[in-house]
Amino acid sequence: MYLYLKKNNSDEKIVYQNDERTRLQTELDSLEAQIEQVNTSKVRMSSELQGKNDSLRAKIKTLRSDLAKGKLTVEELEKAQEDVKQLRYFVTKYTADIEELRKENINLTTERDTLKTNLTTVSAKASDLEKQNQDLNTKVQVASALKVGEASVVGYKVKSNGKESDETKAKNINKLKINFTVASNAVATKGSHDIFIRIIDPVGNLITTNDSGTLNADGQELQYTYKTSIDYKDDGAAYVVDWLYNQPFQKGTYTVVLYADGYTMGRTGVLLK
């Protein structure tokens, strides 16, 4: 009877131990799967969370090693179950920490995207404002440019004694007098303004001399015949530009174009017989 009871008790312990090992193995599989699921969430962990993750994996590895040896007593199995309960608690808390971190990352990503959108909107508005400002500056420049009110050209013959008289015959003319007024302009800058003059002969060729040069007007680079300046006061004053030419004038119409402040100021002409 003694031997029977002893054997029966021993069998029960073996069955109990086998059941506990199986349960412990299942718990470890579940914990490891939970940790693996957290690790595959692609959440960037802090150094503290990464250390906790490594510690949990090491503890599970140790328990698996002990189970594989098959030498755990009933007391050791019970102790292992307590360890597993602690692991379960830590894994649950660890999972909650990771979930909280994931939510924070989502919020940060949302805030970042919002900032990007706002930045794009602000940049677009800034570009629009810059373009509007450039357009406004262009309009101001156009509006402030001097324009001819009235203009005329008269041929003159300058005698050796310095006396001059107006002349219409091309062969007798050696000077042109360009007369013009400037239209009233409240936004134009008062003071000195450079005036560029292009004189085109009856054939259509631009007349150039040693005093000629280039200017930028109406968005293009042009060559001019003569350059002078006027003192603009917006008072309706008339201006006269004398242009001497040491070459014979041809019969036909000479065209005179005036430029100021980067734009065409006006044009006039004269017919020489």
Side-chain angles (χ1 to χ4, degrees):
M1 178 61 70
Y2 169 75
L3 293 174
Y4 172 77
L5 291 175
K6 185 177 181 181
K7 180 178 183 304
N8 186 51
N9 187 40
S10 176
D11 290 343
E12 288 178 356
K13 286 184 177 181
I14 292 171
V15 171
Y16 173 79
Q17 286 177 318
N18 288 335
D19 289 344
E20 288 302 307
R21 285 195 187 96
T22 302
R23 189 193 309 173
L24 184 59
Q25 183 69 45
T26 302
E27 288 284 345
L28 292 175
D29 290 342
S30 175
L31 287 173
E32 199 164 39
Q34 190 173 354
I35 293 174
E36 188 63 30
Q37 183 178 4
V38 171
N39 288 334
T40 57
S41 63
K42 296 182 180 180
V43 176
R44 187 175 182 179
M45 293 184 288
S46 65
S47 57
E48 181 182 357
L49 287 176
Q50 186 62 52
K52 187 182 293 185
N53 178 72
D54 297 340
S55 176
L56 290 173
R57 285 182 174 275
K59 186 65 176 176
I60 290 173
K61 184 177 180 181
T62 300
L63 289 173
R64 284 192 184 279
S65 177
D66 292 341
L67 278 175
K69 293 176 182 177
K71 295 179 180 181
L72 291 176
T73 64
V74 173
E75 291 76 14
E76 289 173 334
L77 282 171
E78 289 176 352
K79 176 64 170 60
Q81 285 293 352
E82 287 299 320
D83 290 341
V84 167
K85 287 181 181 179
Q86 289 296 322
L87 278 175
R88 177 68 68 184
Y89 167 76
F90 285 120
V91 169
T92 301
K93 188 175 183 307
Y94 169 71
T95 304
D97 291 342
I98 292 296
E99 179 62 21
E100 186 66 25
L101 185 60
R102 186 184 68 82
K103 289 179 180 178
E104 289 179 5
N105 284 344
I106 291 175
N107 291 335
L108 288 174
T109 300
T110 302
E111 290 178 7
R112 181 200 64 192
D113 293 342
T114 301
L115 287 174
K116 283 184 177 180
T117 301
N118 292 340
L119 181 60
T120 301
T121 303
V122 170
S123 297
K125 288 182 178 179
S127 297
D128 290 341
L129 287 174
E130 184 178 1
K131 185 178 183 303
Q132 291 175 12
N133 189 46
Q134 290 175 349
D135 292 342
L136 181 60
N137 287 337
T138 301
K139 290 179 180 179
V140 170
Q141 289 176 1
V142 173
S144 62
L146 299 183
K147 298 295 180 182
V148 167
E150 295 180 354
S152 63
V153 180
V154 179
Y156 275 80
K157 177 181 179 181
V158 181
K159 297 179 181 179
S160 58
N161 59 7
K163 291 185 179 181
E164 58 182 36
S165 60
D166 57 317
E167 181 67 60
T168 59
K169 292 184 178 181
K171 65 178 182 178
N172 297 328
I173 295 174
N174 51 21
K175 182 172 80 170
L176 296 179
K177 275 185 178 289
I178 305 168
N179 309 288
F180 65 93
T181 60
V182 178
S184 178
N185 189 336
V187 296
T189 302
K190 293 180 176 59
S192 179
H193 288 257
D194 288 334
I195 306 297
F196 299 90
I197 302 173
R198 282 164 53 89
I199 301 176
I200 303 170
D201 66 21
V203 182
N205 296 320
L206 175 70
I207 298 176
T208 59
T209 65
N210 293 332
D211 296 329
S212 298
T214 59
L215 77 150
N216 288 311
D218 301 325
Q220 57 184 330
E221 186 175 22
L222 302 171
Q223 192 172 16
Y224 63 82
T225 305
Y226 184 68
K227 175 185 175 182
T228 186
S229 63
I230 63 171
D231 185 19
Y232 176 69
K233 297 180 180 180
D234 196 19
D235 56 359
Y239 303 93
V240 179
V241 177
D242 290 341
W243 181 67
L244 288 167
Y245 190 43
N246 56 10
Q247 299 291 329
F249 280 91
Q250 306 175 37
K251 293 181 181 180
T253 300
Y254 282 77
T255 301
V256 177
V257 186
L258 292 84
Y259 298 86
D261 306 317
Y263 296 93
T264 300
M265 188 178 180
R267 66 175 58 215
T268 185
V270 61
L271 174 61
L272 302 182
K273 299 178 180 178

